[in-house]
């Protein structure tokens, strides 16, 4: 099953909004076939493994990270080929919460006389598919807030200079994370200050996430890198302005898409934005905003996980920007807490990862 998990990871960035799934077929103690879900709309892991197997599968055991599907969608059901090829036993990591499956796949296999065992490496597989498990049950994207700050919590000098807070290895890791997400989102303040590209710049072929800018009043410059490259990389400008407004036409002509959201105190309502992005099939977001947008997402309860890169630097400055601005809390007891903490040393930078604790 751990080999199936490693295979599943290869689909990162390419299967949104589907889950990451790996499959291994074993007979007489030897692996005779492997496969994973490689791209959205293409065959699932089980069918990829079985159809590529050059050995007899009758009587073999199959290990798969997620319950086999039992319905026709973009591809035929995986239960069908498992039964057809005479698989004797199926080990399933976790059940699929998709209402179209949700235990029906296991029952179909059992009704066909196949022995099924569920729960192998379940915790690891849930962590691997945290995006899918949230999206399939809520239709809202999983949001990771990424920050890069100095020891004194600054994301830029008082002049606005921010290149670079963290080291090259940390920045490579961020690009890898971008490649695994459906979208990367920033606010207009970041665009005006840094003129970012927000694409993945790593060697080799990588998934390029959708680029999303929260720009309530359509202030984004037409000559910004994001607008100039909108025909190359899908770019959405989120606004409260009616898309037929004069300022919108130039952005549309440049290749940008516009998404109008409700206004909350003169700014984009983050919860409305999250719901609308979910309805577009965007299952995951990397929030790379400045202090204002980070605060808005946190205050709206729309952040699921935090990746905080901390560089061993001190720059000071009362006017220097911090990772989260906004009004802030009144009492320390009201602070947003993280759990499931993981700490890594990235060649001197410290990466702290954690999930947002529920406030319920």
């Amino acid at each position: 099953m751990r080999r199936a998990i490693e295979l599943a990871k290869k689909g990162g960035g390419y299967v949104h909004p589907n889950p990451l799934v790996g499959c291994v077929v074993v007979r007489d103690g030897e692996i005779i076939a492997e496969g994973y879900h490689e791209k959205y709309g293409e065959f699932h892991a089980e069918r990829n493994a079985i159809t590529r197997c050059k050995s007899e599968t009758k009587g073999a055991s199959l290990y798969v990270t997620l319950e086999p599907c039992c319905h026709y969608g973009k591809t035929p059901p995986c239960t069908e080929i498992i039964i057809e090829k005479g698989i004797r036993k199926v080990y399933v990591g976790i059940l699929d919460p998709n209402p179209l499956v949700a235990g029906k796949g296991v029952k179909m296999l059992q009704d066909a006389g196949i022995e099924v065992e569920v729960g192998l490496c379940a915790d690891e597989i849930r962590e691997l598919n945290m995006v899918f498990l949230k999206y399939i049950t809520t239709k809202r994207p999983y949001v990771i807030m990424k920050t890069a700050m100095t020891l004194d919590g600054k994301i830029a000098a008082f002049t606005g200079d921010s290149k670079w807070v963290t080291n090259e290895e940390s920045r490579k890791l961020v690009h890898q994370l971008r490649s695994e997400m459906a979208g990367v989102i920033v606010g207009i303040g970041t665009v005006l200050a840094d003129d970012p590209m927000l694409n993945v710049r790593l060697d080799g072929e990588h998934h390029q996430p959708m680029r999303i800018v929260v720009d309530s009043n359509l202030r984004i410059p037409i000559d910004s890198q994001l607008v100039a490259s909108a025909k190359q990389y899908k770019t959405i400008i989120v606004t409260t302005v009616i898309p037929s407004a004069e300022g919108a036409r130039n952005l549309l002509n440049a290749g940008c898409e516009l998404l109008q959201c409700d206004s909350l105190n003169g700014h984009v309502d983050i919860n409305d934005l999250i719901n609308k992005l979910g309805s577009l099939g965007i299952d995951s977001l990397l929030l790379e905003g400045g202090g204002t947008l980070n605060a808005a997402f946190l205050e709206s309860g729309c952040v699921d996980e935090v990746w905080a890169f901390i560089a061993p630097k001190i720059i000071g400055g009362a006017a220097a920007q911090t990772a989260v601005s906004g009004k802030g809390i009144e009492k320390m007891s009201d602070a947003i807490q993280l759990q499931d903490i993981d700490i890594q040393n990235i060649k001197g930078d410290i990466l702290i990862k954690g999930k947002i604790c529920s406030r319920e």
Side-chain angles (χ1 to χ4, degrees), residues 100-220:
L100 295 174
V101 187
K104 301 182 187 72
V106 166
K107 186 176 186 305
M108 188 172 290
L109 295 176
Q110 292 173 330
D111 289 347
I114 297 173
E115 185 180 353
V116 180
E117 183 176 323
V118 180
L120 198 59
C121 300
D123 289 343
E124 294 173 52
I125 294 166
R126 288 191 193 96
E127 180 68 19
L128 177 67
N129 274 302
M130 57 191 176
V131 167
F132 170 74
L133 294 174
K134 178 183 179 180
Y135 183 75
I136 197 66
T137 54
T138 68
K139 294 303 177 187
R140 286 164 64 92
Y142 189 94
V143 178
I144 297 177
M145 185 181 87
K146 185 278 295 184
T147 65
M149 68 185 85
T150 58
L151 279 175
D152 50 342
K154 309 298 185 180
I155 62 174
F158 75 91
T159 59
D161 180 61
S162 62
K163 291 184 173 58
W164 295 103
V165 174
T166 53
N167 63 35
E168 184 177 357
E169 288 303 311
S170 293
R171 300 198 298 276
K172 283 182 180 178
L173 187 55
V174 171
H175 280 268
Q176 180 61 44
L177 180 58
R178 279 183 187 174
S179 74
E180 296 170 1
M181 307 296 281
V184 55
I185 186 165
V186 298
I188 184 59
T190 296
V191 175
L192 295 176
D194 299 337
D195 192 22
M197 271 288 285
L198 302 180
N199 61 335
V200 175
R201 298 185 294 278
L202 294 171
D203 293 337
E205 182 181 348
H206 293 273
H207 162 73
Q208 294 290 343
M210 187 179 305
R211 306 176 306 174
I212 304 165
V213 180
V214 179
D215 183 10
S216 300
N217 299 304
L218 286 187
R219 294 188 291 144
I220 189 168

Side-chain angles (χ1 to χ4, degrees), residues 6-320:
E6 289 304 308
L7 289 167
K9 292 176 182 178
K10 294 183 177 184
Y14 294 100
V15 300
H16 299 293
N18 282 355
L20 296 168
V21 183
C23 178
V24 173
V25 182
V26 176
R27 193 180 64 192
D28 299 328
E30 293 186 4
I31 293 176
I32 60 171
E34 296 183 337
Y36 67 98
H37 186 28
E38 299 174 8
K39 190 175 181 181
Y40 175 72
E42 296 184 358
F43 285 155
H44 293 176
E46 301 94 315
R47 193 168 287 271
N48 275 335
I50 291 172
T51 56
R52 295 169 183 173
C53 182
K54 294 182 171 58
S55 302
E56 174 61 57
T57 58
K58 187 173 182 180
S61 296
L62 182 145
Y63 294 76
V64 63
T65 55
L66 186 72
E67 178 182 9
C69 65
C70 54
H71 63 284
Y72 280 88
K74 292 185 177 295
T75 60
C78 293
T79 50
E80 186 178 85
I81 194 169
I82 291 171
I83 295 168
E84 175 189 323
K85 294 297 182 178
I87 299 295
R88 176 184 59 83
K89 184 170 183 177
V90 174
Y91 294 87
V92 175
I94 61 173
L95 296 177
D96 188 343
N98 184 339
L100 295 174
V101 187
K104 301 182 187 72
V106 166
K107 186 176 186 305
M108 188 172 290
L109 295 176
Q110 292 173 330
D111 289 347
I114 297 173
E115 185 180 353
V116 180
E117 183 176 323
V118 180
L120 198 59
C121 300
D123 289 343
E124 294 173 52
I125 294 166
R126 288 191 193 96
E127 180 68 19
L128 177 67
N129 274 302
M130 57 191 176
V131 167
F132 170 74
L133 294 174
K134 178 183 179 180
Y135 183 75
I136 197 66
T137 54
T138 68
K139 294 303 177 187
R140 286 164 64 92
Y142 189 94
V143 178
I144 297 177
M145 185 181 87
K146 185 278 295 184
T147 65
M149 68 185 85
T150 58
L151 279 175
D152 50 342
K154 309 298 185 180
I155 62 174
F158 75 91
T159 59
D161 180 61
S162 62
K163 291 184 173 58
W164 295 103
V165 174
T166 53
N167 63 35
E168 184 177 357
E169 288 303 311
S170 293
R171 300 198 298 276
K172 283 182 180 178
L173 187 55
V174 171
H175 280 268
Q176 180 61 44
L177 180 58
R178 279 183 187 174
S179 74
E180 296 170 1
M181 307 296 281
V184 55
I185 186 165
V186 298
I188 184 59
T190 296
V191 175
L192 295 176
D194 299 337
D195 192 22
M197 271 288 285
L198 302 180
N199 61 335
V200 175
R201 298 185 294 278
L202 294 171
D203 293 337
E205 182 181 348
H206 293 273
H207 162 73
Q208 294 290 343
M210 187 179 305
R211 306 176 306 174
I212 304 165
V213 180
V214 179
D215 183 10
S216 300
N217 299 304
L218 286 187
R219 294 188 291 144
I220 189 168
I222 196 70
D223 61 351
S224 65
Q225 289 197 91
L226 287 167
V227 176
S229 59
K231 291 181 179 177
Q232 181 181 2
Y233 304 111
K234 188 169 183 178
T235 305
I236 295 179
I237 312 298
V238 183
T239 181
T240 60
V241 174
I242 299 173
S244 60
E246 182 178 352
R249 285 198 289 272
N250 290 335
L251 294 173
L252 292 170
N253 289 337
C256 297
E257 298 180 20
L258 296 183
L259 177 63
Q260 185 182 16
C261 286
D262 294 342
S263 175
L264 181 64
N265 300 322
H267 301 283
V268 167
D269 183 329
I270 299 301
N271 266 298
D272 185 50
L273 166 61
I274 288 293
N275 288 333
K276 285 178 176 171
L277 291 177
S279 69
L280 295 175
I282 299 172
D283 66 356
S284 53
L285 288 174
L286 180 59
L287 171 59
E288 295 197 55
T292 301
L293 191 63
N294 288 346
F297 265 78
L298 287 167
E299 290 166 3
S300 300
C302 293
V303 176
D304 297 287
E305 185 174 341
V306 175
W307 285 39
F309 290 86
I310 304 173
K313 303 173 182 177
I314 298 173
I315 61 175

